[in-house]
Every structure is written in structure tokens, then in C-alpha cells.
């Protein structure tokens, strides 16, 4: 959840505005990219879907050839999914700065074996880290989005790539709700929603000089929303009835 003042905030005074540097813009863009990718992962993938790392044996291909091979892998995977009457969902990132070119993907799991996945990638042999299960929790989605984009920001900065990540066209678009609240301020230490815990809280100022607050909340496991434990005499009476006294 993010709270911020709109340009129609009226008389709300801005904080002292500073001229944003290129580095500040870059960090803001990196943060927005991670949030967007995180939302797509949470919306479209679940526990036990598959993370795949694609590497290359010698000789290493050019970036252009590597992109062609990555596209070929996705096409071959789509064909095998179609034979099973399924539809492939995938997100991918290509990394090439400071080390050998490789690709990271997350795909929906339809029961294809590791050997069937290997058949789609003839340019290197899978190792023990090539195919792994996605945990499916919001925390894992957050870690995965950070991991996938950890190196693309430098490539974007240098103008070597325009898109940080790619995806199949059938992914469901995350639903983001915007609600206008008429208030001049908010609590710097908000309370979590019932059944949730706050895992990240950030109060800051936008590049335009307006204050904002970012709150990330995760659901507490095994918590039933809407059900409260009885207290006092009610709890004691309920316990007595259960014991048959």
C-alpha cells in the first residue's frame, strides 16, 4: 500500500524541493520496476511453479544470438504445454553484464519432467540449480523480483537494454486499487490490518517534494480473518460447555 498526495492536494504544503539527480531518477525507476514485477509474479504464479536458469556451454553466443535461443526455448516449451492441453505462462530476464550470458525464467508447472525441459534447451546441460520450485509466498515473490532485476538496472542505465524483463502475453494484469482519501496527513506508524503484519514501512518525499508512505503487509499464517477468540466470561462458559460440566 502506498499513500501519497496528488497534484490536486490543494493547499498542502510541499517539503523543500531539491533538484532530483539522475541517480535519484534511476533509483525511483528501479523501485517501480521491482514493484511491477512483484505484482505480476504474485498474480500469476503459485507454490511449486518452476524457476529455470538457462546457461551456455562454450562458445558463448552474442547477445543477439542468445535472445534468439531464449525465444526458441519459450516456443518449444509452449508446444509441449499445448500437447498437454495447457497454456504456458512465463516471465524471463536476461543477464549479461560482468559475466557469461544467462537467462532466468519462472513458468507455471504442468508436470513436465526435468528431462523434457532439458530437451527444449540443447545449448547446455542442466545442473542441480537449473530447475527449482518457486515457494509461492509473498516473501519469495519479493526475493525473486529483486533477484531477477539485480543486474538489469545497470544495463538500462547504460542504454544497452530498454526492457528489464519479458513475459508471455497471457499473463493476468495485476489489479491495483486506488482510493482517494481526504486527509491532510497520516500516521507515521500505522497499525497493520487484522490478520496481517507489517514487514516494510517507508516514509519519504517524492521527487516533486510531496510526502509519501509505503507499507507492505503480509498475511499471518493460519490466521482466520473475521474470527476473534472469546474473552473473559464468554471464554470460560464456552470451555465449560465443551467439557460437558
Amino acid at each position: 500500500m502506498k499513500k501519497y498526495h496528488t497534484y490536486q492536494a490543494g493547499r498542502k504544503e510541499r517539503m523543500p524541493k531539491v533538484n532530483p539527480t539522475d541517480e535519484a531518477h534511476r533509483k525511483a525507476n528501479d523501485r517501480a520496476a521491482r514493484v511491477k514485477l512483484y505484482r505480476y509474479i504474485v498474480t500469476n504464479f503459485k507454490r511449486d511453479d518452476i524457476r529455470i536458469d538457462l546457461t551456455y556451454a562454450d562458445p558463448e553466443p552474442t547477445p543477439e544470438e542468445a535472445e534468439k535461443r531464449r525465444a526458441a526455448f519459450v516456443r518449444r516449451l509452449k508446444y509441449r504445454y499445448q500437447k498437454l492441453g495447457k497454456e504456458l505462462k512465463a516471465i524471463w530476464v536476461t543477464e549479461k553484464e560482468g559475466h557469461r550470458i544467462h537467462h532466468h525464467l519462472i513458468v507455471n508447472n504442468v508436470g513436465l519432467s526435468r528431462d523434457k525441459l532439458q530437451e527444449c534447451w540443447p545449448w547446455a546441460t542442466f545442473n542441480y540449480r537449473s530447475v527449482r520450485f518457486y515457494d509461492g509466498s509473498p516473501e519469495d515473490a519479493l526475493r525473486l523480483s529483486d533477484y531477477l532485476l539485480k543486474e538489469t538496472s545497470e544495463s538500462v542505465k547504460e542504454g544497452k537494454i530498454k526492457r528489464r524483463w519479458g513475459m508471455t502475453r497471457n499473463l493476468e494484469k495485476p489489479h491495483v486499487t486506488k482510493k482517494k482519501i481526504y486527509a491532510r496527513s497520516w500516521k507515521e506508524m500505522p497499525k497493520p490490518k487484522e490478520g496481517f503484519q507489517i514487514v516494510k514501512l517507508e516514509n519519504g518525499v517524492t521527487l516533486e517534494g510531496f510526502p509519501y508512505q509505503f507499507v507492505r503487509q503480509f498475511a499471518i499464517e493460519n490466521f482466520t480473518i473475521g474470527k476473534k477468540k472469546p474473552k473473559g466470561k464468554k471464554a470460560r462458559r464456552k470451555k465449560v460447555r465443551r467439557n460437558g460440566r
Side-chain angles (χ1 to χ4, degrees), residues 186-199:
W186 49 70
K187 294 181 180 179
E188 290 193 1
M189 293 296 293
K191 292 183 179 180
K193 294 166 56 178
E194 184 180 4
F196 287 75
Q197 58 183 350
I198 294 177
V199 297

Side-chain angles (χ1 to χ4, degrees), residues 65-226:
E65 181 61 27
E67 184 57 27
K68 291 180 181 179
R69 294 179 182 181
R70 193 278 311 155
F73 174 79
V74 172
R75 287 196 303 271
R76 293 168 180 173
L77 209 54
K78 281 183 179 180
Y79 174 73
R80 283 163 174 75
Y81 274 53
Q82 289 171 356
K83 289 183 67 175
L84 296 174
K86 304 293 184 179
E87 189 175 27
L88 172 68
K89 290 185 175 183
I91 290 176
W92 58 82
V93 170
T94 297
E95 296 183 356
K96 52 190 174 184
E97 294 301 319
H99 44 64
R100 294 175 65 87
I101 296 176
H102 60 282
H103 315 277
H104 300 294
L105 299 92
I106 179 170
V107 302
N108 55 319
N109 186 0
V110 297
L112 280 181
S113 67
R114 176 190 173 102
D115 291 338
K116 292 297 183 182
L117 295 174
Q118 175 71 81
E119 290 175 3
C120 299
W121 188 252
W123 295 285
T125 302
F126 284 172
N127 59 34
Y128 71 99
R129 290 177 57 86
S130 297
V131 180
R132 288 170 285 173
F133 287 118
Y134 166 57
D135 183 63
S137 67
E139 297 94 329
D140 197 36
L142 187 61
R143 287 193 295 267
L144 182 57
S145 60
D146 287 340
Y147 176 71
L148 293 178
L149 297 182
K150 69 181 185 298
E151 295 176 0
T152 59
S153 59
E154 193 65 26
S155 298
V156 171
K157 178 181 177 181
E158 296 176 1
K160 295 181 179 180
I161 60 174
K162 294 183 179 180
R163 298 184 61 185
R164 299 170 186 264
W165 49 280
M167 64 181 184
T168 53
R169 295 181 180 180
N170 60 340
L171 294 192
E172 181 182 348
K173 187 176 180 180
H175 179 66
V176 179
T177 302
K178 291 187 178 182
K179 184 179 180 181
K180 185 178 291 187
I181 299 176
Y182 296 92
R184 296 184 62 83
S185 63
W186 49 70
K187 294 181 180 179
E188 290 193 1
M189 293 296 293
K191 292 183 179 180
K193 294 166 56 178
E194 184 180 4
F196 287 75
Q197 58 183 350
I198 294 177
V199 297
K200 183 176 181 180
L201 173 61
E202 180 180 315
N203 290 290
V205 180
T206 66
L207 296 179
E208 294 78 20
F210 288 108
Y212 75 87
Q213 181 181 85
F214 177 81
V215 183
R216 177 174 287 122
Q217 304 184 52
F218 288 158
I220 299 173
E221 294 183 358
N222 301 323
F223 187 95
T224 303
I225 296 178

Side-chain angles (χ1 to χ4, degrees), residues 17-32:
K17 183 178 178 181
V18 296
N19 292 326
T21 63
D22 291 340
E23 182 68 15
H25 278 297
R26 186 184 69 80
K27 288 183 178 180
N29 291 336
D30 289 347
R31 182 165 54 248

